[in-house]
Amino acid sequence: MSLITIKNYLGGQLLAPESGTYLDDHEPATGQVYARTPQSSAADLDQAVAAAEQSFPSWSTTPAEQRAQVLNRLADLIEQNQDRLARAEAIDNGKPITLAKNVDIYRAAANIRFFAQAITQFSSESHAMENVAINYTLRDPLGVVACISPWNLPLYLFTWKIAPALAVGNTVIAKPSEITPMTAYLFSELCIEAGLPAGVLNVLHGTGPAIGAPLTEHPRIKAVSFTGGSATGTLIKQATASQHKKLSLELGGKNPTLVFADCDFDRTVDEVARSAFANQGQICLCGSRIYIENDLYERFTAALVARVEQLKIGDPLDEDTQFGALVSQAHMDKVLGYIELAQQEGGTVLTGGQRLQLSGRCADGYFVQPTIIAGLDNACRTNQEEIFGPVCTVQPFSDEQQAVALANDSEYGLAASVWSQDIGRCHRLAKQLNTGIVWVNCWLLRDLRTPFGGMKASGSGREGGLEALRFFTEAKNVCIKY
Ligand code: NAD
């Protein structure tokens, strides 16, 4: 099989990297190299910055409705190509193709459509000082901005960033993860087909050190919107500290799930299993610390184990697969290392715990069983560090107060879910939990208008709705005296 050669998208053209150097792109379900990814360098970056700067004056002054029209054409093209894109995402990432289609590709189109519409509704504030003056706020695009995205939801998070940036009139240099570059490449082709003006969006492929860091540090980049690990977020903060750039950092999570004895039992078992193991546990929002009220602990844990053991693990390209491969050999090794650590820390594996060897074309794939571990205290590394894989722990709690204390005992603060029929309790907990998102009797239910982001090591800044439009614009107050 000949390898697919991915190209950068630069100044409206699909180009090889200046260095002529490529990285291997593996299919996680088979372990085989199937594509080559450009390893971009400073020379590509300089060209991208020049192209983005050149296109900024016309794109930023194009009427919002016309920018929205181009973005809507792009969303149409994603929808028309949804089967091809879903298949590409499943091959590149290892996720089940049904999930890729219904979540990743569906959301990629929805992201673009949402911000295309939002920009036509975006208004700014005005503050009257009675009989003295009137203030109004101008919101202008920033210029050339960087959008850097991770591997777990490749096209979903790529579009989540570039859509608001482009909608408000910025020009963009985007860097997808080098581990899952394929759908951003296919998206570049769709940008050309949609008639996006040259240089408005530029996509540079390559590793973090080779192109991610130079991109964030480039003096003519005005803002960085980053989604990825907390350690990388720290590096970006440090590297740009003296440049006074706008930064939006969406980082890691170690999310608590609080199950009370009065929950709607069957529905909660199903949803908690989904929240722990969707996308093989590789969603920043996955609930990996599951706390269960004492009275329900044994019954709920048994039902959760039984539910998880029913998951159909298999070839991501089979329509009925519910649980696919982990994204890479390195990530699989990391996850297996944590399962070993959990046992050294005194944990008991209730289900899973092993690498899974499938037959046929997936024999060498990176599959790990969905794993539930009991018997660990909250302070151990297994319960404090982000594993970002199909591993969760269960712990009992005695009352509401202890549940909150356990949930908040983490350096992360991205998302929490609460499962209870007591509405008063749900309100109390929503207020007390130190996370940017609290889901009550649901998980990953998303309204794109809501603020999205984390506290503490889970990041700074918020995405979504108005927050994103505000991040990608500079506010200027004009005060006019009567
Ligand atoms: P990562 O931090 O390793 O990489 C993310 C992106 O940053 C990649 O494109 C990578 O090439 C690039 N990068 C790496 N080093 C860089 C540097 N020094 N400067 C600039 N860019 C650099 O993360 P990952 O392993 O791809 O993704 C997994 C992490 O992402 C997990 O921690 C997960 O929780 C987090 N995540 C967070 C959210 C959220 O919304 N909060 C969403 C998805 C994933």
Side-chain angles (χ1 to χ4, degrees):
M1 193 184 72
S2 65
L3 298 183
I4 301 169
T5 298
I6 290 172
K7 296 196 173 96
N8 285 332
Y9 174 47
L10 222 164
Q13 290 180 293
L14 297 172
L15 299 174
E18 282 290 328
S19 66
T21 313
Y22 289 85
L23 306 161
D24 287 342
D25 186 14
H26 292 80
E27 178 178 3
T30 63
Q32 304 301 309
V33 176
Y34 82 104
R36 305 190 308 153
T37 311
Q39 175 69 308
S40 305
S41 61
D44 306 290
L45 179 57
D46 287 342
Q47 285 181 46
V49 172
E53 281 186 335
Q54 204 185 341
S55 62
F56 179 71
S58 63
W59 181 249
S60 58
T61 52
T62 298
E65 274 179 22
Q66 281 176 31
R67 290 200 300 266
Q69 272 171 12
V70 184
L71 291 173
N72 275 323
R73 273 205 298 280
L74 260 171
D76 291 343
L77 285 171
I78 292 176
E79 281 160 0
Q80 286 161 24
N81 287 276
Q82 61 174 338
D83 289 336
R84 189 167 70 99
L85 289 167
R87 189 178 163 82
E89 203 73 291
I91 291 173
D92 211 27
N93 173 278
K95 66 179 65 208
I97 190 162
T98 312
L99 184 84
K101 189 168 165 178
N102 296 338
V103 176
D104 293 74
I105 307 307
Y106 165 80
R107 248 302 283 280
N111 287 337
I112 294 182
R113 236 182 252 304
F114 174 84
F115 284 108
Q117 203 174 14
I119 193 58
T120 66
Q121 313 290 320
F122 192 31
S123 57
S124 69
E125 311 92 80
S126 172
H127 301 92
M129 301 164 76
E130 234 169 296
N131 301 325
V132 181
I134 181 93
N135 295 273
Y136 62 88
T137 309
L138 290 175
R139 286 205 168 264
D140 292 322
L142 303 171
V144 182
V145 300
C147 295
I148 301 180
S149 45
W151 51 257
N152 65 322
L153 299 165
L155 193 63
Y156 172 134
L157 289 173
F158 181 87
T159 49
W160 180 236
K161 296 191 168 298
I162 64 158
L166 294 174
V168 299
N170 296 296
T171 53
V172 174
I173 302 176
K175 195 202 90 61
S177 170
E178 66 278 18
I179 300 169
T180 53
M182 186 57 77
T183 47
Y185 168 54
L186 300 177
F187 181 80
S188 308
E189 294 179 338
L190 299 183
C191 290
I192 296 171
E193 198 179 333
L196 188 71
V200 166
L201 172 67
N202 304 274
V203 183
L204 293 180
H205 294 274
T207 59
I211 192 67
L215 172 59
T216 57
E217 292 162 28
H218 196 288
R220 301 219 293 278
I221 296 289
K222 305 288 188 227
V224 178
S225 172
F226 170 82
T227 298
S230 299
T232 315
T234 305
L235 284 178
I236 293 174
K237 235 178 180 168
Q238 286 166 344
T240 57
S242 64
Q243 295 180 321
H244 309 294
K245 280 180 186 168
K246 276 184 116 174
L247 290 184
S248 170
L249 302 173
E250 301 296 336
L251 309 177
K254 186 77 182 176
N255 308 303
T257 300
L258 308 183
V259 179
F260 286 84
D262 65 358
C263 69
D264 176 345
F265 188 83
D266 292 337
R267 201 166 68 83
T268 305
V269 171
D270 281 354
E271 285 294 286
V272 169
R274 190 172 74 87
S275 83
F277 296 110
N279 204 37
Q280 297 75 252
Q282 302 168 131
I283 300 181
C284 54
L285 306 160
C286 278
S288 55
R289 296 182 286 140
I290 303 174
Y291 302 103
I292 306 153
E293 195 166 3
N294 269 330
D295 291 353
L296 196 67
Y297 180 79
E298 295 298 337
R299 184 172 160 232
F300 188 87
T301 302
L304 185 66
V305 167
R307 179 70 193 83
V308 167
E309 287 177 349
Q310 286 167 8
L311 284 172
K312 185 164 183 322
I313 307 172
D315 187 337
L317 296 182
D318 289 345
E319 297 271 339
D320 57 350
T321 290
Q322 296 171 318
F323 186 96
L326 299 198
V327 77
S328 67
Q329 165 104 46
H331 191 55
M332 176 180 70
D333 291 345
K334 175 187 150 183
V335 170
L336 291 171
Y338 269 107
I339 295 173
E340 211 177 299
L341 172 74
Q343 291 168 94
Q344 284 162 14
E345 289 181 320
T348 305
V349 173
L350 301 182
T351 185
Q354 304 288 330
R355 179 175 180 178
L356 198 65
Q357 183 98 43
L358 300 186
S359 57
R361 83 172 200 105
C362 295
D364 295 324
Y366 312 135
F367 294 86
V368 174
Q369 295 171 318
T371 300
I372 303 177
I373 297 168
L376 291 171
D377 68 18
N378 218 49
C380 70
R381 284 182 55 202
T382 308
N383 274 325
Q384 290 294 326
E385 296 176 15
E386 184 185 39
I387 301 173
F388 207 55
V391 181
C392 68
T393 61
V394 285
Q395 288 180 70
F397 65 81
S398 52
D399 58 21
E400 208 177 293
Q401 207 181 356
Q402 191 193 12
V404 174
L406 288 165
N408 285 341
D409 173 26
S410 169
E411 69 173 283
Y412 293 101
L414 187 54
S417 71
V418 176
W419 304 85
S420 167
Q421 310 256 36
D422 178 341
I423 188 69
R425 164 190 288 151
C426 294
H427 282 298
R428 282 193 298 279
L429 290 183
K431 181 89 178 139
Q432 290 168 40
L433 288 165
N434 296 330
T435 55
I437 300 153
V438 178
W439 275 296
V440 176
N441 296 322
C442 59
W443 177 75
L444 203 54
L445 186 56
R446 294 279 293 115
D447 179 328
L448 303 189
R449 294 169 298 181
T450 59
F452 179 91
M455 301 178 181
K456 304 191 270 184
S458 292
S460 47
R462 292 291 180 271
E463 297 184 329
L466 285 176
E467 303 278 347
L469 299 178
R470 288 186 177 136
F471 173 75
F472 283 115
T473 50
E474 195 75 76
K476 183 194 290 171
N477 187 63
V478 180
C479 177
I480 301 177
K481 196 167 185 308
Y482 292 137

